[in-house]
Amino acid sequence: GSRAFGCGGCSLVTITLRSEGGPISFAIDAYRLMKRAGAGDKVTFEFRADQAGRFAYYCSLSNDQECATMKGTLVVADR
């Protein structure tokens, strides 16, 4: 489903991507970021949120209809 999460004045963001079924991915175009977790896997990654604003994130796997519903917004506040 669609969700929003925020980062108030932070620069390093840590995300844990956990697949409870088939493979999933997490992409933010503005940060040129794309990570993938295989079926039943967990992937933890970090990135530097150095741009303030609202950024769409989504699952980029085009062959999975459920993936199309996995989206939301990352909110990064000015420092």
Side-chain angles (χ1 to χ4, degrees):
S2 183
R3 298 178 189 252
F5 63 97
C7 175
C10 64
S11 60
L12 191 62
V13 177
T14 302
I15 294 177
T16 299
L17 184 60
R18 183 175 298 123
S19 170
E20 295 178 358
I24 58 172
S25 74
F26 180 92
I28 302 176
D29 293 340
Y31 283 100
R32 300 176 72 176
L33 174 70
M34 201 290 286
K35 298 294 181 181
R36 181 179 171 156
D41 287 343
K42 177 174 87 169
V43 175
T44 299
F45 59 95
E46 296 179 331
F47 70 97
R48 194 154 304 281
D50 55 1
Q51 306 172 56
R54 299 174 63 83
F55 306 97
Y57 68 83
Y58 60 96
C59 179
S60 64
L61 301 179
S62 60
N63 61 344
D64 185 346
Q65 288 185 340
E66 189 175 325
C67 184
T69 65
M70 296 179 205
K71 57 187 172 183
T73 305
L74 169 68
V75 180
V76 180
D78 284 327
R79 292 185 215 188

